[in-house]
């Protein structure tokens, strides 16, 4: 009973932060629905026609809410408001939201991390996760429910695999964002060599061609040439070839054909 009372207090305290609600003029056709829901959430809320009124919940179309991302004002879409109405009894964690702007609750109570992306791309991932009601974790921890990866190799990848955390391509969050729905990760899983570039040295040409076919079939890229974009050099013995020397110089990992076979089996 005490726990339930505490949860109810948390729900009330969140909505009690606000004194007014503002409805975008473009949503005038559903104004009565929005008003009904707002007064269900907090019967003391007063409607305002001034968007700049302090302590106001703003209800606006999706693009308008996205444009307000990272502002201090609380903006939600009408679709998100309907979600809130449906999930009112399970919103005890709503105060833990990492954004004051919401277009959906499809990632509510769901944590996401990423690996292998530029800072600009990470910012885009974080924005989408936040707008969908989720949380973003910069480190891989027990809260993380899914890892978005740019390629199939990184320390986070290995850790996520050992913890049975689903690993997906960036298309997963893009699809969630477009559909406003938590998409199943299986449809966006990484192939074993996704975005990984291989070359070989000192291997028989027949063996190299066979490896190339396997690598390409499993989502990787094979090149006869070595350059700074190479992810792995495949070699079965220590060699004095130029490729081997360059791999050592640029700290490119050198792996054996057995390692490739092990990856395929896993």
């Amino acid at each position: 009973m005490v726990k339930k009372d505490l949860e109810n207090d948390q729900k009330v305290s969140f909505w009690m932060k606000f004194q007014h609600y503002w409805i975008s003029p473009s949503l005038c056709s559903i104004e009565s629905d929005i008003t009904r829901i707002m007064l269900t959430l907090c019967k003391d809320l007063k409607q305002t026609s001034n968007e700049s009124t302090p302590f106001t919940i703003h209800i606006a179309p999706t693009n308008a809410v996205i444009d307000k991302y990272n502002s201090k004002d609380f903006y939600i879409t009408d679709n998100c408001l309907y979600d809130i109405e449906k999930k009112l009894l399970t919103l005890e964690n709503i105060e833990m939201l990492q954004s004051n702007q919401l277009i959906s609750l499809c990632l509510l109570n769901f944590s996401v991390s990423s690996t292998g992306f530029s800072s600009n791309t990470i910012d885009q991932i974080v924005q989408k996760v936040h707008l969908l009601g989720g949380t973003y974790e910069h480190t891989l921890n027990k809260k993380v429910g899914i890892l978005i990866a740019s390629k199939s190799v990184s320390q986070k990848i290995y850790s996520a695999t050992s913890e049975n955390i689903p690993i997906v391509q960036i298309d997963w969050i893009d699809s969630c964002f477009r559909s406003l729905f938590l998409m199943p990760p299986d449809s966006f899983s990484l192939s074993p060599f996704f975005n990984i570039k291989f070359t070989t040295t000192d291997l028989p040409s027949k063996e190299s061609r066979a490896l190339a076919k396997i690598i390409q079939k499993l989502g990787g890229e094979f090149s006869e040439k070595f350059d700074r974009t190479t992810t792995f050099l495949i070699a079965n013995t220590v060699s004095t070839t130029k490729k081997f020397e360059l791999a050592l110089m640029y700290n490119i990992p050198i792996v054996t054909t057995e390692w490739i076979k092990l990856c395929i089996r896993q």
Side-chain angles (χ1 to χ4, degrees):
M1 180 65 71
V2 173
K3 181 179 179 182
K4 188 172 182 180
D5 288 343
L6 178 60
E7 290 175 353
N8 287 334
D9 287 345
Q10 288 175 331
K11 295 170 203 171
V12 171
S13 65
F14 177 80
W15 298 110
M16 289 298 288
K17 293 177 184 178
F18 304 104
Q19 298 173 5
H20 307 90
Y21 65 95
W22 172 87
I23 303 174
S24 169
S26 62
L27 299 178
C28 63
S29 62
I30 56 171
E31 183 173 336
S32 59
D33 259 1
I34 293 173
T35 296
R36 175 184 57 79
I37 296 172
M38 295 310 301
L39 295 180
T40 300
L41 295 171
C42 185
K43 60 183 177 61
D44 295 326
L45 287 174
K46 305 296 183 185
Q47 186 171 358
T48 178
S49 58
N50 183 356
E51 187 177 2
S52 302
T53 302
F55 308 110
T56 295
I57 300 175
H58 304 81
I59 303 95
T62 298
N63 288 339
V65 174
I66 294 172
D67 288 343
K68 290 292 183 178
Y69 181 69
N70 265 345
S71 74
K72 294 181 180 180
D73 296 322
F74 193 79
Y75 276 80
I76 59 175
T77 62
D78 52 308
N79 286 331
C80 186
L81 194 60
Y82 290 126
D83 274 351
I84 290 174
E85 182 183 36
K86 292 176 186 175
K87 300 177 182 179
L88 181 60
L89 297 177
T90 59
L91 276 181
E92 62 268 16
N93 294 326
I94 196 167
E95 291 204 70
M96 302 304 291
L97 293 170
Q98 293 183 338
S99 173
N100 285 333
Q101 295 77 42
L102 292 169
I103 64 171
S104 172
L105 293 178
C106 67
L107 295 188
L108 185 67
N109 300 329
F110 197 83
S111 294
V112 176
S113 190
S114 66
T115 182
F117 297 102
S118 68
S119 57
N120 286 339
T121 302
I122 292 172
D123 287 344
Q124 293 170 18
I125 292 172
V126 171
Q127 179 185 20
K128 290 174 180 177
V129 170
H130 286 175
L131 286 167
L132 296 177
T135 58
Y136 182 86
E137 301 289 338
H138 289 277
T139 59
L140 194 69
N141 55 50
K142 292 181 179 180
K143 298 178 184 177
V144 174
I146 203 159
L147 177 66
I148 304 172
S150 65
K151 57 185 178 181
S152 298
V153 176
S154 77
Q155 186 56 52
K156 273 189 177 181
I157 291 280
Y158 303 142
S159 299
T161 301
S162 67
E163 296 294 331
N164 293 317
I165 297 172
I167 305 164
V168 297
Q169 303 175 38
I170 196 171
D171 291 349
W172 173 80
I173 189 63
D174 293 337
S175 184
C176 292
F177 197 73
R178 285 192 303 270
S179 65
L180 304 183
F181 183 78
L182 178 58
M183 301 300 290
D186 291 349
S187 303
F188 302 88
S189 58
L190 266 66
S191 54
F193 297 140
F194 177 74
N195 238 356
I196 299 177
K197 184 176 179 180
F198 294 87
T199 190
T200 60
T201 189
D202 259 5
L203 293 183
S205 57
K206 185 177 180 180
E207 186 175 5
S208 286
R209 288 195 298 271
L211 281 172
K213 288 181 180 179
I214 293 171
I215 288 166
Q216 290 163 353
K217 184 178 180 180
L218 296 177
E221 179 184 352
F222 185 87
S223 175
E224 294 291 346
K225 297 180 179 179
F226 181 99
D227 59 33
R228 295 295 296 273
T229 65
T230 300
T231 312
F232 289 109
L233 172 65
I234 304 171
N236 283 333
T237 59
V238 175
S239 171
T240 58
T241 64
K242 188 65 175 176
K243 284 184 179 180
F244 205 95
E245 292 175 359
L246 289 172
L248 293 174
M249 182 185 302
Y250 296 125
N251 292 317
I252 302 297
I254 302 169
V255 298
T256 64
T257 55
E258 284 303 312
W259 183 85
I260 298 292
K261 294 173 184 176
L262 178 63
C263 290
I264 294 169
R265 287 198 295 271
Q266 291 181 339

